[in-house]
């Protein structure tokens, strides 16, 4: 039977601020003004280059975790490709999330997730579902009501950056709270599920790929069997 405990598997942008100052004086006249203008233009140019470089660096650092190595480097399932699509469509293009996508389709949640605004999804990787006994997983996939409860528990309100997960409590679409903790590139969800690839951007959501399937009621002592 599937228990209400977490099923564990084996398995921001920085803005460059700069000030512009112009010095004027009676001596030097236009030459001094030209010099200052040239300096300002150079500063602006260097500042823009710095912003581009920092932007590129930040973009490269947005995603973190060992699981990110398995995300395709190109195409619709890559980080860039997923950023162009709403979350359910984006997940369908990522081979790490094929079982989750199957579950979302069985629960008839594709349109719900794609049309949602500003959400964060804790998305179990395929290995997370592999840890559930096949009989129990099949039973869950065939029970749309229970499946919807489980899947909507993985979706919380707001697009949350990694810093928000350091000591976070978020309301899920299922209605119960999901908790997170950690720092840097090491975060857990509901105390056990590990983020294996963090802060994946889609058109309407931030996605954190996790190594466990979360169950509603995980925080309750002595979790009960799911019938």
């Amino acid at each position: 039977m599937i228990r209400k405990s977490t099923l564990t598997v084996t398995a921001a942008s920085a803005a460059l601020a700069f000030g512009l100052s112009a010095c004027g004086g009676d001596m030097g006249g236009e030459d001094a003004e030209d010099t200052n203008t040239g300096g300002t233009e150079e500063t602006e140019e260097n500042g823009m280059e710095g912003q581009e470089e920092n932007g590129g660096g930040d973009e490269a650092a947005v995603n973190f975790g060992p699981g990110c190595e398995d995300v395709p480097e190109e195409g619709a399932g890559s980080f860039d490709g997923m950023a162009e699509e709403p979350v359910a469509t984006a997940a369908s293009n990522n081979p790490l999330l094929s079982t989750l996508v199957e579950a979302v389709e069985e629960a008839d949640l594709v349109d719900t997730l794609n049309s949602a605004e500003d959400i964060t999804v804790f998305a179990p990787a395929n290995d997370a579902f592999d840890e559930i006994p096949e009989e129990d997983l099949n039973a869950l996939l065939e029970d749309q009501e229970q499946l919807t409860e489980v899947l909507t528990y993985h979706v919380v309100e707001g697009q949350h950056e990694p810093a928000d997960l350091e000591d976070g409590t978020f309301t899920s679409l299922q209605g119960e709270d999901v908790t997170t903790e950690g720092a840097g590139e090491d975060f857990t969800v509901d105390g056990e599920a590990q983020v294996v690839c963090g802060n994946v951007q889609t058109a309407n959501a931030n996605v954190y790929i996790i190594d466990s399937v979360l169950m509603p009621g995980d925080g309750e002592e002595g979790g009960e069997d799911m019938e």
Side-chain angles (χ1 to χ4, degrees):
M1 302 298 290
I2 303 177
R3 297 183 64 83
K4 284 190 178 180
S5 57
T6 309
L7 302 172
T8 307
V9 306
T10 55
S13 48
L16 178 64
F18 56 88
L20 303 180
S21 60
C23 301
D26 294 334
M27 299 294 293
E30 295 181 359
D31 290 339
E33 185 176 340
D34 291 342
T35 300
N36 289 330
T37 301
T40 300
E41 290 175 352
E42 183 177 353
T43 301
E44 289 178 340
E45 183 177 351
N46 290 339
M48 291 299 291
E49 290 177 356
Q51 286 178 316
E52 292 175 359
E53 291 174 1
N54 288 339
D58 288 341
E59 186 68 25
V62 161
N63 314 115
F64 61 87
C68 292
E69 297 178 358
D70 297 323
V71 174
E73 295 183 2
E74 299 178 348
S78 67
F79 294 125
D80 288 341
M82 292 181 69
E84 300 295 323
E85 302 287 351
V87 63
T89 301
S92 70
N93 295 324
N94 190 319
L96 295 179
L97 303 174
S98 58
T99 306
L100 174 62
V101 170
E102 177 186 354
V104 168
E105 291 174 347
E106 291 291 335
D108 197 21
L109 290 173
V110 172
D111 290 340
T112 299
L113 294 177
N114 276 347
S115 62
E117 296 182 3
D118 298 330
I119 56 175
T120 294
V121 179
F122 298 105
N126 291 341
D127 287 344
F129 287 99
D130 289 343
E131 284 298 302
I132 302 176
E134 184 177 0
E135 181 179 352
D136 292 338
L137 178 58
N138 289 338
L140 178 62
L141 292 173
E142 293 171 2
D143 186 337
Q144 188 178 55
E145 182 178 353
Q146 186 180 42
L147 182 60
T148 299
E149 285 276 309
V150 171
L151 293 178
T152 53
Y153 182 68
H154 289 74
V155 183
V156 304
E157 300 172 356
Q159 287 185 257
H160 297 289
E161 303 297 327
D164 299 331
L165 274 57
E166 292 182 1
D167 185 16
T169 299
F170 312 104
T171 302
S172 71
L173 299 190
Q174 179 265 351
E176 296 182 31
D177 286 343
V178 176
T179 61
T180 60
E181 60 183 356
E185 298 185 356
D186 185 12
F187 294 97
T188 57
V189 185
D190 278 353
E192 294 185 33
Q194 190 76 33
V195 174
V196 296
C197 185
N199 207 25
V200 180
Q201 306 295 307
T202 74
N204 66 329
N206 284 9
V207 177
Y208 294 85
I209 300 175
I210 56 177
D211 66 356
S212 306
V213 176
L214 307 174
M215 292 295 173
D218 177 68
E220 299 177 2
E221 294 184 3
E224 302 175 1
D225 288 340
M226 296 183 67
E227 300 294 338

